[in-house]
């Protein structure tokens, strides 16, 4: 009997990722990280803007409360005064207007960023009675 050698080819399936799969995964991860960084930057910028608006509202509310509690009868006209909050330099403009009823006056307080007077941060309005 002649012995035949039979070669059996065994198919080995090696586990792992191909270079293409790794590159696709890196592109996806890079895109996600880029979008995350932009979102975090946007949140930080919005946070400082919201903080400035909140401080400006406080400045306007302080002035209107001062008029209300002091029972002031403000003169008709306009005036400007600094109204800083913390390290934020603000400028307030007060506009006092007449109303159809002479016993009341309308007071508007506008708050601007002192470094950029084109940027209005807040505007509050109040009607003030003439206290006897």
């Amino acid at each position: 009997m002649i012995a035949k050698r039979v070669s059996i080819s065994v198919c080995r399936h090696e586990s792992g990722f191909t270079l293409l799969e790794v590159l696709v995964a890196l592109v996806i991860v890079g895109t996600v990280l880029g979008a995350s960084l932009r979102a975090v930057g946007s949140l930080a910028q919005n946070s400082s803007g919201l903080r400035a608006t909140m401080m400006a509202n406080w400045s306007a509310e302080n002035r209107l409360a001062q008029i209300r509690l002091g029972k002031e009868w403000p003169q008709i006209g306009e005036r400007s005064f600094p109204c800083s909050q913390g390290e934020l330099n603000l400028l307030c403009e007060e506009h006092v207007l007449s109303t159809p009823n002479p016993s009341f006056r309308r007071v508007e307080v506008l708050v601007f960023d002192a470094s950029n007077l084109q940027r209005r941060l807040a505007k509050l309005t109040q009607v003030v009675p003439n206290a006897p």
Side-chain angles (χ1 to χ4, degrees), residues 14-35:
E14 295 187 26
S15 62
F17 297 105
T18 65
L19 183 59
L20 182 61
E21 291 170 330
V22 170
L23 289 175
V24 168
L26 286 174
V27 167
I28 291 171
V29 168
T31 304
V32 169
L33 287 175

Side-chain angles (χ1 to χ4, degrees), residues 23-92:
L23 289 175
V24 168
L26 286 174
V27 167
I28 291 171
V29 168
T31 304
V32 169
L33 287 175
S36 298
L37 287 175
R38 269 182 284 176
V40 168
S42 177
L43 285 174
Q45 186 177 10
N46 287 343
S47 174
S48 66
L50 287 173
R51 182 177 172 273
T53 302
M54 178 185 67
M55 297 253 190
N57 275 317
W58 285 351
S59 291
E61 287 175 0
N62 285 346
R63 177 59 188 140
L64 293 176
Q66 183 181 21
I67 292 170
R68 198 171 45 247
L69 295 173
K71 298 185 181 179
E72 293 181 29
W73 182 241
Q75 295 297 318
I76 293 177
E78 297 178 3
R79 72 182 192 106
S80 296
F81 54 93
C83 56
S84 299
Q85 291 285 333
E87 72 276 353
L88 190 63
N89 291 326
L90 302 173
L91 179 72
C92 288

